[in-house]
Amino acid sequence: MSAIFPRRLLATVELGPSLDAHRRTHGPLTLPEGPSEVARGTLQRAMDAVGLTGRGGSHVQSSLKLAFAAQDRRPVVVVNATEGEPASGRAHALLLHAPHLVLDGAVVLASVLGARDIAIAVADDQDLQAHAVEVAIAERSERLRFSLERPPSRYVTGEESALVRFIDGGAALPTFRVERPSFGTIGRHRAIVHNLETMAQVGLLAAHGPRWFAEVGTGSERGTTLVTLSGAVRVPGVYEVPLGAPLGAALEMAGGLTAPVAAFQVGGYGGAWLGPNRVDVALDEPSLRSVGATLGAGSIVAVPATTCVLAEASLVVRWMAGESAGQCGPCVFGLPAVASDLELLAAGRARRTDVDRLKSRLEFIEGRGACRHPDGVVRFVRSLLSVVTAHVDAHLKGGRCAAGANAGCFPLPERVEVR
Amino acid sequence: MLRLVVDPVACDAFGFCAEVAPELIHLDEWGYPVIDGEVTRATKALAGQAVSMCPRRALSLRSST
């Protein structure tokens, strides 16, 4: 029996992305009433009541960002739709099927914050998504300045400080910040940045209220989320699941597995791994954290047992090393070293001492970059080594797998130059 | 309490800091500084020296929270 969950974010998927279809589905956009300070308080409480956190992977409490931005009289609302995670199709799904839900969320934030500017950032190689945003913006009648930003398509572009710096006219590179939480500025104003799914959730919250919102979900985390399933599943794609749904239910939605699985890679290339028997794990941040993983950008790759999982993973790590912004030594030198260690292991030429050196390198690199890019790679590799232990042992004893990396289950987009 | 903070973007691995204050800083295999724990009353002056020696002004002394 396949689990079918009601669609919320993707409720308009069969009606098309028009404003008309959006309003027919979600009703008119009712902006919180009263002075903006009161309205902001109402929204903050609603966010906390449903446990809304940053869906881009940070899982920062959304109400905190709101309170922080409110310290500026005219903050700039930024929709982060850059989708740096190659295995996630979330931006594609939301911008092509529900762009007005995303814009509603941004409009609501602008309304309670007294903001006049909304910037929507779409990577410069995603013309279809950018077009969908332009069409949607043209349909809006709010007296707000919407702008479409096109930062370079690189993994770290979506990092908040990099994105804000780009919109402010600089390079799309992460900024070193001692204090956290910190904020970037665009012109003279603070930026409030949310991933596009978080924006869409704010849109749902405003349209339907916290009680409806909380009808699905688990524990303190209510509502749904988008997951992107790929690899050894029958129907790869983006699916909407209630938070707390078991991994197995999401796999069923995708038609089930097509082959025995070596491991599941969850939460993006800065995410973690789950063993093949973990199909009962609940898809929400606290549950995933308890098994050393994270929901991240919601990607789930079922890596088939017919390929060499270490070889597949080493391709990802080498790619991630190349995606470094090139600013911090531990990332610039550490990630290629980690990639080489993993390649050695995948090739069956590593000894136990090489694995120990790899593990000590992970310790050294963690927490020493301006952004979390190196930390993501550390988590990815550390989790891999702890989940596929038998496979690691086999490589240490018997040499390389006959299989090699034959599944190609991790997309590795061509790089563009750093600007 | 005080702690040493490296700005990893500014740091260019000159390594002067670890030369001046090996009690507080060691270098990783690529020559970039790793901070070893908090600064105490006894090591405060040394930490200040390390900060002032950095040619990239990448090292700073901050109160830890």
Side-chain angles (χ1 to χ4, degrees):
Chain A
M1 211 183 86
S2 79
I4 300 293
F5 302 116
R7 285 176 178 147
R8 290 180 160 189
L9 295 166
L10 300 179
T12 51
V13 84
E14 271 136 33
L15 300 172
S18 71
L19 183 58
D20 179 57
H22 170 71
R23 292 279 179 252
R24 275 189 284 132
T25 304
H26 297 288
L29 177 61
T30 42
L31 294 172
E33 283 176 31
S36 64
E37 212 165 295
V38 177
R40 177 165 54 74
T42 307
L43 181 60
Q44 269 176 243
R45 282 190 298 280
M47 285 172 161
D48 286 340
V50 301
L52 188 62
T53 60
R55 299 293 174 82
S58 74
H59 291 277
V60 171
Q61 209 180 324
S62 299
S63 65
L64 285 181
K65 280 194 175 179
L66 189 53
F68 216 59
Q71 292 168 24
D72 192 309
R73 210 168 40 82
R74 293 248 178 271
V76 179
V77 177
V78 178
V79 181
N80 187 352
T82 54
E83 192 82 284
E85 285 291 347
S88 174
R90 184 187 273 173
H92 184 89
L94 282 171
L95 294 181
L96 268 64
H97 297 287
H100 286 292
L101 197 54
V102 176
L103 293 182
D104 274 3
V107 167
V108 168
L109 289 180
S111 160
V112 304
L113 287 165
R116 288 172 182 167
D117 291 283
I118 295 175
I120 300 114
V122 176
D124 68 356
D125 62 346
Q126 297 298 329
D127 290 342
L128 193 59
Q129 293 175 21
H131 179 68
V133 171
E134 282 173 329
V135 170
I137 288 174
E139 287 186 286
R140 305 294 297 208
S141 55
E142 286 91 359
R143 294 170 63 83
L144 293 162
R145 283 186 295 261
F146 292 96
S147 65
L148 177 63
E149 304 285 341
R150 305 297 303 276
S153 176
R154 286 185 63 88
Y155 194 86
V156 293
T157 293
E159 198 271 339
E160 185 168 319
S161 70
L163 183 57
V164 168
R165 199 164 150 188
F166 175 82
I167 296 172
D168 194 36
L173 297 171
T175 306
F176 175 63
R177 298 138 292 168
V178 179
E179 323 293 345
R180 284 173 194 270
S182 63
F183 60 89
T185 53
I186 295 169
R188 294 190 336 274
H189 295 291
R190 285 192 184 193
I192 173 167
V193 184
H194 280 298
N195 175 268
L196 86 165
E197 185 186 308
T198 318
M199 282 302 180
Q201 298 288 4
V202 174
L204 283 178
L205 195 54
H208 304 282
R211 187 170 301 182
W212 173 89
F213 193 102
E215 278 170 12
V216 300
T218 181
S220 61
E221 287 209 320
R222 314 305 301 178
T224 62
T225 193
L226 296 183
V227 291
T228 308
L229 297 166
S230 63
V233 292
R234 211 165 297 278
V235 192
V238 177
Y239 296 88
E240 183 168 5
V241 296
L243 285 167
L247 170 58
L251 295 170
E252 272 183 48
M253 289 175 86
L257 296 171
T258 56
V261 161
F264 297 99
Q265 202 283 310
V266 177
Y269 295 175
W273 296 77
L274 297 173
N277 301 322
R278 289 284 199 180
V279 288
D280 53 335
V281 168
L283 298 174
D284 62 81
E285 194 62 14
S287 303
L288 285 166
R289 289 269 164 106
S290 73
V291 292
T294 176
L295 204 47
S299 62
I300 299 170
V301 183
V303 180
T306 46
T307 187
C308 173
V309 64
L310 291 173
E312 298 281 352
S314 68
L315 293 175
V316 172
V317 174
R318 178 62 70 187
W319 184 84
M320 285 289 274
E323 286 296 296
S324 167
Q327 299 190 111
C328 308
C331 187
V332 170
F333 295 98
L335 300 194
V338 166
S340 298
D341 288 343
L342 205 56
E343 284 159 4
L344 200 67
L345 181 61
R349 289 189 284 113
R351 287 164 302 173
R352 185 68 63 184
T353 50
D354 296 314
V355 176
D356 292 341
R357 184 186 58 184
L358 168 57
K359 286 178 178 168
S360 78
R361 280 177 169 164
L362 297 177
E363 298 290 326
F364 263 114
I365 293 164
E366 193 171 28
R368 290 177 60 225
C371 74
R372 306 287 173 141
H373 183 67
D375 298 0
V377 175
V378 167
R379 172 161 56 192
F380 182 96
V381 176
R382 194 180 274 155
S383 167
L384 173 76
L385 296 178
S386 74
V387 166
V388 299
T389 47
H391 202 86
V392 171
D393 288 343
H395 272 251
L396 287 172
K397 283 195 200 106
R400 68 179 301 164
C401 289
N406 64 26
C409 45
F410 293 107
L412 306 168
E414 249 177 78
R415 290 178 200 116
V416 295
E417 289 305 305
V418 188
R419 275 172 274 171
Chain B
M1 287 291 257
L2 291 169
R3 64 188 172 114
L4 283 165
V5 175
V6 180
D7 175 344
V9 177
C11 177
D12 263 343
F14 279 80
F16 295 176
C17 55
E19 288 282 334
V20 174
E23 297 90 336
L24 296 167
I25 301 158
H26 73 273
L27 301 179
D28 68 14
E29 61 179 296
W30 305 287
Y32 289 85
V34 179
I35 307 299
D36 302 315
E38 291 201 318
V39 175
T40 62
R41 188 190 289 261
T43 55
K44 193 179 163 186
L46 195 62
Q49 255 182 307
V51 168
S52 63
M53 287 291 285
C54 177
R56 299 283 292 124
R57 296 195 175 279
L59 197 62
S60 58
L61 202 52
R62 312 219 174 213
S63 58
S64 44
T65 42

